[in-house]
Amino acid sequence: MSEIWVPLGKLLTPQLQQNLSYLEFMIPELHQLAQNALASEALLFQNQEGLIRCRTDADPPQWIFGGENSAKELERIREKIQSAIKGASLVILAGSAAGYAIAEIIPAILSDSSLRVVAVEPSAARIRAYLTLLDARTALDTGRLHFVVGEMSVKGLIEAIRPFHLWEYENVSLYRSPEIAEISEGEFEEHYRKECEIARAQRFAVLASMNPVSHESGRTIERVLLLNCWPGAPGEAHIQAIHRALQARGVKSAVLPFNRYRIEGQGDEYRRLMEPRLLDALEKTRPDLIVSYGYHGHQLAQRDLFAASGAVWLQTVSNIAYYDTEFYHAEHTALIDRHLISIFARRGAPHPFFAPLMADYASPRPMPTNRQFPIVFVGNSLGLSPQAASEFFNRWRGRDGLLDYIKRAETALSAFDPDINLYQTMSAEPPPQIGGLEEEYAVFRYLLCQGSAARRRRLLERIAPLGLVLFGGDWANYLPPDSPLRGCLRGHLPLRDEPKIFSHGHIFVNIHSVGHVTGPNMRFFNAAGMGGFQISDGPEFGVYYEPDSEMIYYRTESEFAERVRYYLAHPQEADEIRERARLRTLRDWTYQRWIDWVCGEIGLQAPPIRQKETL
């Protein structure tokens, strides 16, 4: 038996690193709690014959697990957990015996989709302990396992449940770990039932008090709620740009953050979790208009809440929402490519219409550049790693017709040709042997990613020796080891730093995805708005910036390389073009124009601009 006691801070296990990496994106608040946990309580651990004993570093020490016969204690824990789980839809763990109760709970959560668990601990250190000893990612990914610090009392447990909005369950069970003081199960259940009644009454009262606003055509918007589902990602830049544009018009606007990973992965569980915050925002804001980017109303709110809000709901989406099939009545969908309109209409979207992206930021003054970076590309490859591509093809094993289709379509899309795009390819010859919309979207996404990545690689490798600087977070996983682009990589460019890059670059090259056909990508407008000289594909985008006067376009790979070389040698000509593009952006392509564009589509009006925006 080992006599060595190891402090929690010295336990740096692979499980901890994996859990923390997961939590950083999925549950940032739990990630922060675990990072700061060591100061909350001093815990010591000992490995005894394959079991982990745990105690506090106090005088005298409090045994959390393993103070007597470890094997017998573990058996008692298992018996109590199995008893608590049986027939329960909600289990509250008051202390988890250094993770042994959680170890029993994880497989139960994965096998029973009706089971939800809240693990309440007296200190953050105890939560970090089982993140250190157990891989909790699969259970956390369900959205049905929650960790929280709380007081070990009936009142404390009720308060611990409150953030998770778990008030609709009939079969509730309480587990107390051995070191936790006695808590009356009857008293807990009584308090829980009362809280359920209160929560239902409060929800009903809030919905009833919303007093839906009038939907008459031409009404001027006064209050807007923006749902930011993309913190730290490009979608956030659009939401913040709309926010600034509304404020410049005197429209009261508020931003409510959501987590896109949890929207996609946890569905109804995350929608339930976010409902109190959404209700609070609706009650305080009383919006005329609700705007989200990337997700429709059914993914964010229950139907009765959507209806009671009385607001016009506007969803602006790219091809990431290609597979949506559920829409609430009177919901509006702004699409960044006209090809998506017919697709969304077939799937039941009440009002799909085209509205291009516009400049998230634009400089009111000319922007000098030191030309530190001769050529700049900012953007991901979009390509899959070799392992991910292999897993994709393995999925279709046995469907030879579909595999042949995917390979032919990928080859066609990979060759740079502005006249060949994803929508045209899939409509001219729909994929065979497809079993439903989800599989169709999987093929769509693969071709979007691999076709776009191949085009970007082909074009960028032609100019790599000329001084290319490449920003993007996924290139290292996509590129082969011998690609000349590896010497150009500068890694991910944080969103907050993107506007600064325009004071360092000479030529900004733009290569659209195979899914951007009638609506340009965000770089197209952002580079121009910040006075960046841009060489872009998409000559049909001349309706946005005048060819050769405000933007330089190319139609072939050789023309791309020729134009890059020419303007490297003629910086004065580039300066004149980029200044005209900046002025055109300020006049026509900021989110002020976008607000008027979409309001015209959805039958609303926006008040005139009262003040200048700031970046």
Side-chain angles (χ1 to χ4, degrees):
M1 180 183 73
S2 172
E3 296 295 335
I4 299 174
W5 285 94
V6 182
L8 178 61
K10 298 290 185 181
L11 291 177
L12 303 175
T13 64
Q15 290 93 334
L16 177 65
Q17 196 55 52
Q18 291 164 358
N19 284 326
L20 290 179
S21 296
Y22 169 87
L23 292 173
E24 185 175 4
F25 296 98
M26 291 295 288
I27 316 178
E29 60 273 19
L30 184 53
H31 177 268
Q32 191 65 38
L33 181 145
Q35 291 282 58
N36 300 332
L38 297 177
S40 65
E41 186 179 19
L43 302 180
L44 298 174
F45 296 84
Q46 183 186 76
N47 188 337
Q48 184 189 60
E49 299 174 355
L51 299 174
I52 305 296
R53 300 203 300 170
C54 178
R55 65 176 176 83
T56 62
D57 188 17
D59 190 19
Q62 176 192 0
W63 286 89
I64 298 173
F65 173 72
E68 302 172 16
N69 182 299
S70 299
K72 287 184 178 180
E73 287 185 52
L74 179 55
E75 188 57 35
R76 285 197 293 269
I77 288 171
R78 284 174 173 161
E79 290 176 359
K80 290 179 66 177
I81 282 293
Q82 292 304 320
S83 176
I85 293 173
K86 190 174 182 180
S89 50
L90 174 62
V91 176
I92 309 301
L93 303 182
S96 295
Y100 278 105
I102 296 293
E104 296 294 316
I105 283 288
I106 287 175
I109 287 177
L110 297 178
S111 63
D112 182 359
S113 62
S114 67
L115 180 62
R116 286 146 188 87
V117 177
V118 179
V120 188
E121 287 292 345
S123 75
R126 301 194 187 201
I127 294 174
R128 182 183 172 104
Y130 30 85
L131 294 174
T132 300
L133 300 170
L134 294 168
D135 186 348
R137 291 174 295 172
T138 53
L140 287 167
D141 216 30
T142 66
R144 293 182 282 109
L145 173 61
H146 307 282
F147 292 120
V148 64
V149 176
E151 180 186 327
M152 294 296 106
S153 66
V154 169
K155 181 180 178 181
L157 297 183
I158 294 295
E159 290 304 311
I161 297 170
R162 199 175 302 284
F164 308 111
H165 197 50
L166 292 161
W167 305 119
E168 64 267 39
Y169 301 101
E170 291 298 323
N171 301 316
V172 180
S173 182
L174 174 65
Y175 164 85
R176 301 181 300 274
S177 64
E179 87 285 0
I180 298 299
E182 187 69 21
I183 299 174
S184 167
E185 290 189 38
E187 185 183 359
F188 169 76
E189 185 170 349
E190 180 184 351
H191 277 73
Y192 177 79
R193 297 300 171 204
K194 288 180 180 178
E195 287 296 328
C196 289
E197 293 175 7
I198 292 170
R200 280 192 288 266
Q202 287 176 338
R203 184 180 189 275
F204 178 82
V206 171
L207 294 182
S209 71
M210 282 185 178
N211 188 24
V213 295
S214 171
H215 279 236
E216 74 271 9
S217 179
R219 179 168 47 85
T220 300
I221 56 174
E222 299 178 357
R223 298 171 300 278
V224 177
L225 178 61
L226 302 166
L227 307 182
N228 178 19
C229 303
W230 296 76
E236 179 176 42
H238 307 322
I239 290 294
Q240 293 298 339
I242 297 169
H243 185 46
R244 292 192 300 269
L246 289 168
Q247 290 181 325
R249 293 171 180 254
V251 176
K252 295 180 181 178
S253 61
V255 179
L256 177 64
F258 280 71
N259 185 316
R260 68 187 184 278
Y261 301 110
R262 300 184 75 176
I263 292 172
E264 295 172 7
Q266 297 173 3
D268 290 346
E269 295 298 325
Y270 185 64
R271 186 176 66 175
R272 170 189 50 74
L273 185 71
M274 285 300 297
E275 182 174 283
R277 276 171 271 187
L278 180 56
L279 276 171
D280 183 62
L282 290 172
E283 190 175 21
K284 291 177 179 176
T285 309
R286 305 285 175 168
D288 309 300
L289 174 66
I290 298 173
V291 179
S292 66
Y293 180 86
Y295 301 97
H296 281 98
H298 74 95
Q299 294 162 294
L300 305 170
Q302 292 191 57
R303 189 179 295 273
D304 61 346
L305 191 158
F306 176 90
S309 71
V312 173
W313 284 63
L314 171 65
Q315 158 72 318
T316 180
V317 303
S318 65
N319 36 42
I320 62 165
Y322 174 86
Y323 56 92
D324 275 4
T325 57
E326 183 178 346
F327 306 92
Y328 287 151
H329 175 69
E331 191 172 6
H332 302 272
T333 303
L335 298 158
I336 67 168
D337 201 288
R338 288 187 174 88
H339 288 87
L340 290 167
I341 295 175
S342 61
I343 294 172
F344 273 71
R346 286 197 305 270
R347 296 191 180 149
H351 180 210
F353 62 91
F354 171 70
L357 298 173
M358 297 191 190
D360 297 314
Y361 30 73
S363 174
R365 296 173 296 279
M367 288 286 290
T369 175
N370 58 21
R371 296 189 172 87
Q372 178 183 343
F373 303 143
I375 312 167
V376 181
F377 181 84
V378 179
N380 289 330
S381 73
L382 299 181
L384 304 179
S385 67
Q387 179 182 351
S390 176
E391 290 173 355
F392 171 81
F393 278 102
N394 286 338
R395 175 178 180 179
W396 315 111
R397 190 175 296 169
R399 301 192 212 179
D400 294 342
L402 178 57
L403 287 169
D404 179 64
Y405 170 90
I406 293 169
K407 291 173 183 176
R408 285 189 290 105
E410 182 179 357
T411 299
L413 291 166
S414 296
F416 178 72
D417 184 341
D419 294 328
I420 298 176
N421 63 70
L422 182 57
Y423 309 107
Q424 172 204 59
T425 298
M426 291 190 71
S427 61
E429 183 186 355
Q433 299 177 300
I434 285 292
L437 190 56
E438 188 278 330
E439 290 191 352
E440 180 186 331
Y441 177 67
V443 173
F444 176 94
R445 182 179 179 277
Y446 175 84
L447 294 175
L448 173 69
C449 292
Q450 296 299 85
S452 302
R455 289 189 178 193
R456 290 178 176 185
R457 178 188 165 195
R458 287 170 68 98
L459 287 165
L460 294 175
E461 284 184 345
R462 291 182 70 107
I463 60 170
L466 304 179
L468 174 66
V469 174
L470 182 56
F471 292 95
D474 70 346
W475 285 94
N477 292 328
Y478 167 72
L479 291 173
D482 59 348
S483 172
L485 295 181
R486 288 196 172 273
C488 306
L489 298 181
R490 296 297 180 95
H492 171 68
L493 180 65
L495 208 59
R496 64 181 179 276
D497 295 335
E498 190 170 303
K500 303 174 188 174
I501 204 70
F502 298 103
S503 63
H504 300 300
H506 173 22
I507 296 175
F508 291 84
V509 294
N510 194 1
I511 308 165
H512 286 82
S513 80
V514 296
H516 282 88
V517 182
T518 63
N521 61 24
M522 61 189 297
R523 285 182 297 277
F524 185 81
F525 295 107
N526 288 345
M530 292 303 291
F533 169 71
Q534 192 169 183
I535 297 178
S536 178
D537 61 348
E540 63 277 11
F541 295 153
V543 296
Y544 299 100
Y545 294 100
E546 186 70 26
D548 300 325
S549 173
E550 299 167 336
M551 184 81 69
I552 301 300
Y553 299 100
Y554 60 91
R555 288 198 64 89
T556 66
E557 292 184 33
S558 59
E559 190 176 42
F560 170 69
E562 289 168 5
R563 296 201 161 194
V564 168
R565 289 190 179 93
Y566 178 86
Y567 285 101
L568 281 174
H570 296 82
Q572 185 174 353
E573 291 183 39
D575 284 346
E576 294 171 0
I577 292 170
R578 70 189 183 92
E579 176 59 11
R580 287 193 289 268
R582 184 188 68 83
L583 293 173
R584 176 70 181 275
T585 305
L586 288 171
R587 188 185 78 202
D588 293 338
W589 304 122
T590 71
Y591 271 90
Q592 293 293 358
R593 169 75 184 282
W594 185 90
I595 288 172
D596 291 328
W597 184 311
V598 298
C599 280
E601 286 282 350
I602 64 181
L604 297 176
Q605 288 189 358
I609 300 170
R610 298 180 183 178
Q611 61 189 45
K612 290 185 178 180
E613 299 170 57
T614 56
L615 292 180

